[in-house]
Amino acid sequence: MILADERRAVCEYARRLSADGLVVGTSGNISARSGELVAMTPTGVDYGVLTPEDIPVVSLDGSIVEGKLRPTSEMPMHLAVYTKAADPDGAPITGVVHTHSVHATAVSTLVDEVPPVHYMLATIGPSARVARYATYGTEELASAMLEALDGRRGCVLGNHGTITYGDGLAAAYSRAEQLEWLCRVWLLARSAGEPRLLPPEEIAHVVEKLRGYGQK
């Protein structure tokens, strides 16, 4: 079985999507890249019953290389990230997570950027943009996403959800969690009053600090 490790990881993180409340049912999707191949969740299958053998493997042009199930309908978005997006620090992009998380989707109906209520916005970049709405599974949506991702490691998809990437699924998934948390904090604060926001220069400062964060 090719991409065995990546297919196992896709199963693991797909189940976490549901357990962590980032999707409902079979919404949202996950992929992991190795070389010129990508393992991604299949379309319309309960994540709780997925096995590594169920995970289709595709080439970067979308051709199915291995697997009996059809890949996610959002394959154009995933492949666009791998082939056209660029990490701000030049890191490899080997994992992509797309959610339908509640708070981020709600925020996408209100603003064009996630308001900087907390410095952890810097895990995404100087800001987190909201991509213009386009129908799911289309090249138009992939194009809108790429515009919003420019210089960023994730974005909110207008009236839809979120997408984040990283060097590995762990990094991509962590950013998806942080983005949803930020949106939840802003909505809670906004429901009680007018939130105080951090200035752009502070977010930029934290972007630099995070480059040296953690164990190397």
PDB file of all heavy atoms in Angstrom, residues 62-91:
ATOM      1  N   GLY A  62      -4.664  15.255 -10.079  1.00  0.00           N
ATOM      2  CA  GLY A  62      -5.979  14.754  -9.694  1.00  0.00           C
ATOM      3  C   GLY A  62      -6.287  13.342 -10.143  1.00  0.00           C
ATOM      4  O   GLY A  62      -7.363  12.815  -9.826  1.00  0.00           O
ATOM      5  N   SER A  63      -5.374  12.693 -10.853  1.00  0.00           N
ATOM      6  CA  SER A  63      -5.601  11.315 -11.295  1.00  0.00           C
ATOM      7  C   SER A  63      -5.496  10.358 -10.114  1.00  0.00           C
ATOM      8  O   SER A  63      -4.580  10.477  -9.290  1.00  0.00           O
ATOM      9  CB  SER A  63      -4.572  10.918 -12.357  1.00  0.00           C
ATOM     10  OG  SER A  63      -4.609  11.814 -13.451  1.00  0.00           O
ATOM     11  N   ILE A  64      -6.425   9.421 -10.015  1.00  0.00           N
ATOM     12  CA  ILE A  64      -6.388   8.444  -8.925  1.00  0.00           C
ATOM     13  C   ILE A  64      -5.283   7.424  -9.198  1.00  0.00           C
ATOM     14  O   ILE A  64      -5.238   6.803 -10.265  1.00  0.00           O
ATOM     15  CB  ILE A  64      -7.744   7.746  -8.761  1.00  0.00           C
ATOM     16  CG1 ILE A  64      -8.816   8.769  -8.357  1.00  0.00           C
ATOM     17  CG2 ILE A  64      -7.651   6.635  -7.716  1.00  0.00           C
ATOM     18  CD1 ILE A  64     -10.207   8.196  -8.206  1.00  0.00           C
ATOM     19  N   VAL A  65      -4.406   7.259  -8.218  1.00  0.00           N
ATOM     20  CA  VAL A  65      -3.277   6.341  -8.341  1.00  0.00           C
ATOM     21  C   VAL A  65      -3.573   5.030  -7.628  1.00  0.00           C
ATOM     22  O   VAL A  65      -3.207   3.954  -8.109  1.00  0.00           O
ATOM     23  CB  VAL A  65      -1.990   6.986  -7.771  1.00  0.00           C
ATOM     24  CG1 VAL A  65      -0.831   6.002  -7.776  1.00  0.00           C
ATOM     25  CG2 VAL A  65      -1.640   8.243  -8.554  1.00  0.00           C
ATOM     26  N   GLU A  66      -4.240   5.122  -6.477  1.00  0.00           N
ATOM     27  CA  GLU A  66      -4.590   3.914  -5.732  1.00  0.00           C
ATOM     28  C   GLU A  66      -5.807   4.202  -4.873  1.00  0.00           C
ATOM     29  O   GLU A  66      -5.985   5.311  -4.353  1.00  0.00           O
ATOM     30  CB  GLU A  66      -3.413   3.468  -4.858  1.00  0.00           C
ATOM     31  CG  GLU A  66      -3.628   2.121  -4.190  1.00  0.00           C
ATOM     32  CD  GLU A  66      -2.348   1.592  -3.538  1.00  0.00           C
ATOM     33  OE1 GLU A  66      -1.492   1.081  -4.276  1.00  0.00           O
ATOM     34  OE2 GLU A  66      -2.225   1.711  -2.304  1.00  0.00           O
ATOM     35  N   GLY A  67      -6.657   3.185  -4.709  1.00  0.00           N
ATOM     36  CA  GLY A  67      -7.851   3.321  -3.881  1.00  0.00           C
ATOM     37  C   GLY A  67      -9.118   3.144  -4.689  1.00  0.00           C
ATOM     38  O   GLY A  67      -9.188   3.549  -5.857  1.00  0.00           O
ATOM     39  N   LYS A  68     -10.135   2.562  -4.063  1.00  0.00           N
ATOM     40  CA  LYS A  68     -11.394   2.277  -4.743  1.00  0.00           C
ATOM     41  C   LYS A  68     -12.427   3.389  -4.566  1.00  0.00           C
ATOM     42  O   LYS A  68     -13.408   3.442  -5.306  1.00  0.00           O
ATOM     43  CB  LYS A  68     -11.969   0.954  -4.234  1.00  0.00           C
ATOM     44  CG  LYS A  68     -11.097  -0.259  -4.538  1.00  0.00           C
ATOM     45  CD  LYS A  68     -11.718  -1.535  -3.995  1.00  0.00           C
ATOM     46  CE  LYS A  68     -10.846  -2.743  -4.308  1.00  0.00           C
ATOM     47  NZ  LYS A  68     -11.431  -4.000  -3.766  1.00  0.00           N
ATOM     48  N   LEU A  69     -12.220   4.263  -3.575  1.00  0.00           N
ATOM     49  CA  LEU A  69     -13.195   5.311  -3.292  1.00  0.00           C
ATOM     50  C   LEU A  69     -12.802   6.620  -3.977  1.00  0.00           C
ATOM     51  O   LEU A  69     -11.619   6.902  -4.181  1.00  0.00           O
ATOM     52  CB  LEU A  69     -13.309   5.536  -1.781  1.00  0.00           C
ATOM     53  CG  LEU A  69     -13.761   4.322  -0.958  1.00  0.00           C
ATOM     54  CD1 LEU A  69     -13.812   4.680   0.526  1.00  0.00           C
ATOM     55  CD2 LEU A  69     -15.124   3.817  -1.426  1.00  0.00           C
ATOM     56  N   ARG A  70     -13.804   7.411  -4.335  1.00  0.00           N
ATOM     57  CA  ARG A  70     -13.554   8.711  -4.953  1.00  0.00           C
ATOM     58  C   ARG A  70     -13.036   9.701  -3.906  1.00  0.00           C
ATOM     59  O   ARG A  70     -13.523   9.726  -2.769  1.00  0.00           O
ATOM     60  CB  ARG A  70     -14.825   9.257  -5.592  1.00  0.00           C
ATOM     61  CG  ARG A  70     -15.252   8.502  -6.834  1.00  0.00           C
ATOM     62  CD  ARG A  70     -16.437   9.175  -7.517  1.00  0.00           C
ATOM     63  NE  ARG A  70     -17.634   9.124  -6.686  1.00  0.00           N
ATOM     64  CZ  ARG A  70     -18.273  10.186  -6.222  1.00  0.00           C
ATOM     65  NH1 ARG A  70     -17.834  11.398  -6.486  1.00  0.00           N
ATOM     66  NH2 ARG A  70     -19.362  10.045  -5.498  1.00  0.00           N
ATOM     67  N   PRO A  71     -12.072  10.532  -4.244  1.00  0.00           N
ATOM     68  CA  PRO A  71     -11.550  11.514  -3.283  1.00  0.00           C
ATOM     69  C   PRO A  71     -12.573  12.608  -3.004  1.00  0.00           C
ATOM     70  O   PRO A  71     -13.565  12.767  -3.714  1.00  0.00           O
ATOM     71  CB  PRO A  71     -10.314  12.075  -3.975  1.00  0.00           C
ATOM     72  CG  PRO A  71     -10.528  11.816  -5.429  1.00  0.00           C
ATOM     73  CD  PRO A  71     -11.350  10.566  -5.528  1.00  0.00           C
ATOM     74  N   THR A  72     -12.307  13.367  -1.956  1.00  0.00           N
ATOM     75  CA  THR A  72     -13.171  14.460  -1.556  1.00  0.00           C
ATOM     76  C   THR A  72     -13.531  15.379  -2.716  1.00  0.00           C
ATOM     77  O   THR A  72     -12.717  15.613  -3.617  1.00  0.00           O
ATOM     78  CB  THR A  72     -12.501  15.300  -0.444  1.00  0.00           C
ATOM     79  OG1 THR A  72     -13.285  16.476  -0.211  1.00  0.00           O
ATOM     80  CG2 THR A  72     -11.106  15.723  -0.816  1.00  0.00           C
ATOM     81  N   SER A  73     -14.738  15.925  -2.659  1.00  0.00           N
ATOM     82  CA  SER A  73     -15.167  16.874  -3.690  1.00  0.00           C
ATOM     83  C   SER A  73     -14.355  18.161  -3.660  1.00  0.00           C
ATOM     84  O   SER A  73     -14.355  18.931  -4.617  1.00  0.00           O
ATOM     85  CB  SER A  73     -16.652  17.208  -3.506  1.00  0.00           C
ATOM     86  OG  SER A  73     -16.891  17.759  -2.228  1.00  0.00           O
ATOM     87  N   GLU A  74     -13.652  18.393  -2.542  1.00  0.00           N
ATOM     88  CA  GLU A  74     -12.817  19.585  -2.430  1.00  0.00           C
ATOM     89  C   GLU A  74     -11.381  19.337  -2.883  1.00  0.00           C
ATOM     90  O   GLU A  74     -10.478  20.106  -2.555  1.00  0.00           O
ATOM     91  CB  GLU A  74     -12.815  20.098  -0.983  1.00  0.00           C
ATOM     92  CG  GLU A  74     -14.163  20.549  -0.460  1.00  0.00           C
ATOM     93  CD  GLU A  74     -14.678  21.820  -1.128  1.00  0.00           C
ATOM     94  OE1 GLU A  74     -14.113  22.245  -2.157  1.00  0.00           O
ATOM     95  OE2 GLU A  74     -15.652  22.380  -0.615  1.00  0.00           O
ATOM     96  N   MET A  75     -11.170  18.277  -3.669  1.00  0.00           N
ATOM     97  CA  MET A  75      -9.834  17.999  -4.182  1.00  0.00           C
ATOM     98  C   MET A  75      -9.211  19.208  -4.886  1.00  0.00           C
ATOM     99  O   MET A  75      -8.006  19.450  -4.715  1.00  0.00           O
ATOM    100  CB  MET A  75      -9.864  16.789  -5.123  1.00  0.00           C
ATOM    101  CG  MET A  75      -8.495  16.423  -5.679  1.00  0.00           C
ATOM    102  SD  MET A  75      -8.472  14.846  -6.565  1.00  0.00           S
ATOM    103  CE  MET A  75      -9.566  15.211  -7.951  1.00  0.00           C
ATOM    104  N   PRO A  76      -9.959  20.009  -5.674  1.00  0.00           N
ATOM    105  CA  PRO A  76      -9.319  21.168  -6.310  1.00  0.00           C
ATOM    106  C   PRO A  76      -8.664  22.131  -5.322  1.00  0.00           C
ATOM    107  O   PRO A  76      -7.591  22.681  -5.602  1.00  0.00           O
ATOM    108  CB  PRO A  76     -10.480  21.845  -7.049  1.00  0.00           C
ATOM    109  CG  PRO A  76     -11.431  20.736  -7.355  1.00  0.00           C
ATOM    110  CD  PRO A  76     -11.354  19.839  -6.149  1.00  0.00           C
ATOM    111  N   MET A  77      -9.283  22.326  -4.153  1.00  0.00           N
ATOM    112  CA  MET A  77      -8.669  23.202  -3.154  1.00  0.00           C
ATOM    113  C   MET A  77      -7.380  22.604  -2.623  1.00  0.00           C
ATOM    114  O   MET A  77      -6.361  23.287  -2.518  1.00  0.00           O
ATOM    115  CB  MET A  77      -9.635  23.454  -1.981  1.00  0.00           C
ATOM    116  CG  MET A  77     -10.588  24.598  -2.174  1.00  0.00           C
ATOM    117  SD  MET A  77     -11.117  25.327  -0.604  1.00  0.00           S
ATOM    118  CE  MET A  77     -11.752  23.919   0.279  1.00  0.00           C
ATOM    119  N   HIS A  78      -7.420  21.332  -2.265  1.00  0.00           N
ATOM    120  CA  HIS A  78      -6.227  20.690  -1.706  1.00  0.00           C
ATOM    121  C   HIS A  78      -5.073  20.725  -2.701  1.00  0.00           C
ATOM    122  O   HIS A  78      -3.939  21.100  -2.331  1.00  0.00           O
ATOM    123  CB  HIS A  78      -6.550  19.245  -1.324  1.00  0.00           C
ATOM    124  CG  HIS A  78      -7.401  19.113  -0.110  1.00  0.00           C
ATOM    125  ND1 HIS A  78      -6.893  18.811   1.136  1.00  0.00           N
ATOM    126  CD2 HIS A  78      -8.738  19.274   0.065  1.00  0.00           C
ATOM    127  CE1 HIS A  78      -7.877  18.763   2.019  1.00  0.00           C
ATOM    128  NE2 HIS A  78      -9.013  19.046   1.385  1.00  0.00           N
ATOM    129  N   LEU A  79      -5.336  20.364  -3.932  1.00  0.00           N
ATOM    130  CA  LEU A  79      -4.259  20.332  -4.924  1.00  0.00           C
ATOM    131  C   LEU A  79      -3.748  21.732  -5.230  1.00  0.00           C
ATOM    132  O   LEU A  79      -2.554  21.919  -5.495  1.00  0.00           O
ATOM    133  CB  LEU A  79      -4.742  19.638  -6.190  1.00  0.00           C
ATOM    134  CG  LEU A  79      -5.118  18.164  -6.028  1.00  0.00           C
ATOM    135  CD1 LEU A  79      -5.532  17.569  -7.369  1.00  0.00           C
ATOM    136  CD2 LEU A  79      -3.975  17.354  -5.413  1.00  0.00           C
ATOM    137  N   ALA A  80      -4.641  22.728  -5.172  1.00  0.00           N
ATOM    138  CA  ALA A  80      -4.194  24.112  -5.392  1.00  0.00           C
ATOM    139  C   ALA A  80      -3.235  24.557  -4.294  1.00  0.00           C
ATOM    140  O   ALA A  80      -2.253  25.265  -4.564  1.00  0.00           O
ATOM    141  CB  ALA A  80      -5.404  25.045  -5.448  1.00  0.00           C
ATOM    142  N   VAL A  81      -3.491  24.153  -3.059  1.00  0.00           N
ATOM    143  CA  VAL A  81      -2.565  24.496  -1.971  1.00  0.00           C
ATOM    144  C   VAL A  81      -1.197  23.880  -2.234  1.00  0.00           C
ATOM    145  O   VAL A  81      -0.161  24.544  -2.133  1.00  0.00           O
ATOM    146  CB  VAL A  81      -3.116  24.026  -0.604  1.00  0.00           C
ATOM    147  CG1 VAL A  81      -2.067  24.255   0.492  1.00  0.00           C
ATOM    148  CG2 VAL A  81      -4.400  24.761  -0.254  1.00  0.00           C
ATOM    149  N   TYR A  82      -1.175  22.597  -2.592  1.00  0.00           N
ATOM    150  CA  TYR A  82       0.100  21.909  -2.796  1.00  0.00           C
ATOM    151  C   TYR A  82       0.878  22.427  -4.002  1.00  0.00           C
ATOM    152  O   TYR A  82       2.113  22.422  -3.995  1.00  0.00           O
ATOM    153  CB  TYR A  82      -0.139  20.407  -2.960  1.00  0.00           C
ATOM    154  CG  TYR A  82      -0.599  19.725  -1.693  1.00  0.00           C
ATOM    155  CD1 TYR A  82      -1.790  19.000  -1.669  1.00  0.00           C
ATOM    156  CD2 TYR A  82       0.141  19.809  -0.520  1.00  0.00           C
ATOM    157  CE1 TYR A  82      -2.219  18.372  -0.523  1.00  0.00           C
ATOM    158  CE2 TYR A  82      -0.286  19.189   0.637  1.00  0.00           C
ATOM    159  CZ  TYR A  82      -1.469  18.472   0.639  1.00  0.00           C
ATOM    160  OH  TYR A  82      -1.904  17.865   1.790  1.00  0.00           O
ATOM    161  N   THR A  83       0.190  22.860  -5.027  1.00  0.00           N
ATOM    162  CA  THR A  83       0.878  23.224  -6.271  1.00  0.00           C
ATOM    163  C   THR A  83       1.038  24.725  -6.481  1.00  0.00           C
ATOM    164  O   THR A  83       1.894  25.141  -7.269  1.00  0.00           O
ATOM    165  CB  THR A  83       0.135  22.642  -7.487  1.00  0.00           C
ATOM    166  OG1 THR A  83      -1.205  23.150  -7.522  1.00  0.00           O
ATOM    167  CG2 THR A  83       0.091  21.121  -7.420  1.00  0.00           C
ATOM    168  N   LYS A  84       0.244  25.554  -5.765  1.00  0.00           N
ATOM    169  CA  LYS A  84       0.266  26.984  -6.050  1.00  0.00           C
ATOM    170  C   LYS A  84       0.482  27.871  -4.827  1.00  0.00           C
ATOM    171  O   LYS A  84       0.863  29.035  -4.977  1.00  0.00           O
ATOM    172  CB  LYS A  84      -1.033  27.388  -6.750  1.00  0.00           C
ATOM    173  CG  LYS A  84      -1.226  26.716  -8.098  1.00  0.00           C
ATOM    174  CD  LYS A  84      -2.548  27.097  -8.743  1.00  0.00           C
ATOM    175  CE  LYS A  84      -2.737  26.390 -10.075  1.00  0.00           C
ATOM    176  NZ  LYS A  84      -4.044  26.707 -10.691  1.00  0.00           N
ATOM    177  N   ALA A  85       0.224  27.359  -3.631  1.00  0.00           N
ATOM    178  CA  ALA A  85       0.444  28.165  -2.422  1.00  0.00           C
ATOM    179  C   ALA A  85       1.916  28.099  -2.023  1.00  0.00           C
ATOM    180  O   ALA A  85       2.652  27.200  -2.449  1.00  0.00           O
ATOM    181  CB  ALA A  85      -0.441  27.671  -1.279  1.00  0.00           C
ATOM    182  N   ALA A  86       2.339  29.054  -1.192  1.00  0.00           N
ATOM    183  CA  ALA A  86       3.731  29.095  -0.724  1.00  0.00           C
ATOM    184  C   ALA A  86       3.748  29.513   0.735  1.00  0.00           C
ATOM    185  O   ALA A  86       3.181  30.553   1.099  1.00  0.00           O
ATOM    186  CB  ALA A  86       4.557  30.059  -1.569  1.00  0.00           C
ATOM    187  N   ASP A  87       4.385  28.716   1.563  1.00  0.00           N
ATOM    188  CA  ASP A  87       4.536  29.079   2.971  1.00  0.00           C
ATOM    189  C   ASP A  87       5.363  30.358   3.085  1.00  0.00           C
ATOM    190  O   ASP A  87       6.362  30.515   2.365  1.00  0.00           O
ATOM    191  CB  ASP A  87       5.236  27.942   3.726  1.00  0.00           C
ATOM    192  CG  ASP A  87       5.389  28.234   5.195  1.00  0.00           C
ATOM    193  OD1 ASP A  87       6.410  28.860   5.577  1.00  0.00           O
ATOM    194  OD2 ASP A  87       4.499  27.856   5.965  1.00  0.00           O
ATOM    195  N   PRO A  88       4.961  31.293   3.967  1.00  0.00           N
ATOM    196  CA  PRO A  88       5.699  32.567   4.085  1.00  0.00           C
ATOM    197  C   PRO A  88       7.178  32.391   4.422  1.00  0.00           C
ATOM    198  O   PRO A  88       7.999  33.232   4.050  1.00  0.00           O
ATOM    199  CB  PRO A  88       4.956  33.283   5.227  1.00  0.00           C
ATOM    200  CG  PRO A  88       3.584  32.710   5.213  1.00  0.00           C
ATOM    201  CD  PRO A  88       3.752  31.277   4.814  1.00  0.00           C
ATOM    202  N   ASP A  89       7.527  31.297   5.114  1.00  0.00           N
ATOM    203  CA  ASP A  89       8.924  31.050   5.464  1.00  0.00           C
ATOM    204  C   ASP A  89       9.585  30.030   4.550  1.00  0.00           C
ATOM    205  O   ASP A  89      10.708  29.596   4.802  1.00  0.00           O
ATOM    206  CB  ASP A  89       9.023  30.570   6.912  1.00  0.00           C
ATOM    207  CG  ASP A  89       8.672  31.658   7.900  1.00  0.00           C
ATOM    208  OD1 ASP A  89       8.788  32.847   7.538  1.00  0.00           O
ATOM    209  OD2 ASP A  89       8.267  31.330   9.034  1.00  0.00           O
ATOM    210  N   GLY A  90       8.883  29.615   3.522  1.00  0.00           N
ATOM    211  CA  GLY A  90       9.452  28.655   2.583  1.00  0.00           C
ATOM    212  C   GLY A  90       9.409  27.216   3.047  1.00  0.00           C
ATOM    213  O   GLY A  90      10.056  26.351   2.442  1.00  0.00           O
ATOM    214  N   ALA A  91       8.659  26.926   4.123  1.00  0.00           N
ATOM    215  CA  ALA A  91       8.559  25.554   4.623  1.00  0.00           C
ATOM    216  C   ALA A  91       7.759  24.694   3.651  1.00  0.00           C
ATOM    217  O   ALA A  91       6.893  25.194   2.929  1.00  0.00           O
ATOM    218  CB  ALA A  91       7.892  25.546   5.995  1.00  0.00           C
TER     219      ALA A  91
END
